[in-house]
Amino acid sequence: YPPNSHLGRRPQPFGYNSPVAGRHNDVWLSRGWETASLDRKAGTVRFVRSPSLRTTRANLKPRTPTAPPPSSPSLETAPVAASNNVTLSFEWKELGEIMLNMEGGLVFPAVTLGAGLYRIRIVLDGRSRFYVGESQSLRRRFGNYRAGPPGQKTSYRIHHLLKDALAEGAQIAVDIVTDGVALTINGAEISPDLADKATRRMIEHAAIVATGGTDVELANK
């Protein structure tokens, strides 16, 4: 630096190693350097790496207040079928237990070939684990779980979940819903058809939400 520069005239602020937002020392301090010596007569300054000084621009500059999220605009009610007051009730019925046969294969209780909901209850060491599902054919669905083909990811996962739990000494039971579902929409009673997949999915999701507690966990993914 030339002797007549601002370095020679005002050495003290230039040579300070204290971080000050907006000052020229921000340039080197923010990159891990600090001044070691200042020769006013010669107009020179020596910089050294400062392992203890880890100042960044984020530290030096004051934080900009975060703007509050914009409020949602007020929307008009939809002109058609805006009201959706839905009441749903159903009751699980005990079907039976899942066990292992002499060859170590899964044995499910006899079940209808028709549509419905099912809930597998795994109880081990005082804790309950549930898997809730729906199917157009409960018998075929249980057959898939019994076989556990690798090409069917869910069936394969449930197959091994059940076998591993039984090997650990768990008690596994199956509950089903095939009738007795009461559905009211906007005050009108609806006769739900379990052959309809959308209806089964609605009941399935309601059952997943309704199942819970401190000693309960869901095996659904």
Side-chain angles (χ1 to χ4, degrees), residues 65-139:
T66 304
S71 57
S72 300
S74 179
L75 301 177
E76 296 292 332
T77 302
V80 179
S83 178
N84 290 275
N85 186 353
V86 179
T87 302
L88 174 67
S89 65
F90 57 91
E91 187 175 70
W92 293 106
K93 302 293 185 180
E94 291 183 310
L95 181 66
E97 292 190 6
I98 300 175
M99 296 177 288
L100 293 175
N101 58 24
M102 296 297 294
E103 291 76 31
L106 292 171
V107 178
F108 279 76
V111 68
T112 177
L113 187 62
L117 286 294
Y118 60 93
R119 181 177 70 176
I120 300 175
R121 290 184 282 118
I122 305 172
V123 181
L124 179 63
D125 296 332
R127 291 192 60 83
S128 299
R129 193 176 188 189
F130 288 74
Y131 183 82
V132 180
E134 56 79 22
S135 178
Q136 180 70 27
S137 172
L138 294 177
R139 188 182 303 173

Side-chain angles (χ1 to χ4, degrees), residues 151-166:
Q152 299 181 20
K153 292 178 63 176
T154 300
S155 295
Y156 182 81
R157 181 173 71 86
I158 298 302
H159 171 85
H160 287 280
L161 172 69
L162 299 177
K163 293 192 72 172
D164 292 346
L166 289 170

Side-chain angles (χ1 to χ4, degrees), residues 31-97:
R31 288 165 174 78
W33 294 88
E34 63 180 12
T35 57
S37 63
L38 176 66
D39 188 337
R40 298 174 57 187
K41 186 175 181 180
T44 60
V45 63
R46 185 167 64 91
F47 294 95
V48 295
R49 272 289 182 189
S50 176
S52 62
L53 189 62
R54 300 302 182 196
T55 310
T56 63
R57 292 186 179 276
N59 301 124
L60 296 172
K61 296 183 178 180
R63 293 183 178 179
T64 303
T66 304
S71 57
S72 300
S74 179
L75 301 177
E76 296 292 332
T77 302
V80 179
S83 178
N84 290 275
N85 186 353
V86 179
T87 302
L88 174 67
S89 65
F90 57 91
E91 187 175 70
W92 293 106
K93 302 293 185 180
E94 291 183 310
L95 181 66
E97 292 190 6

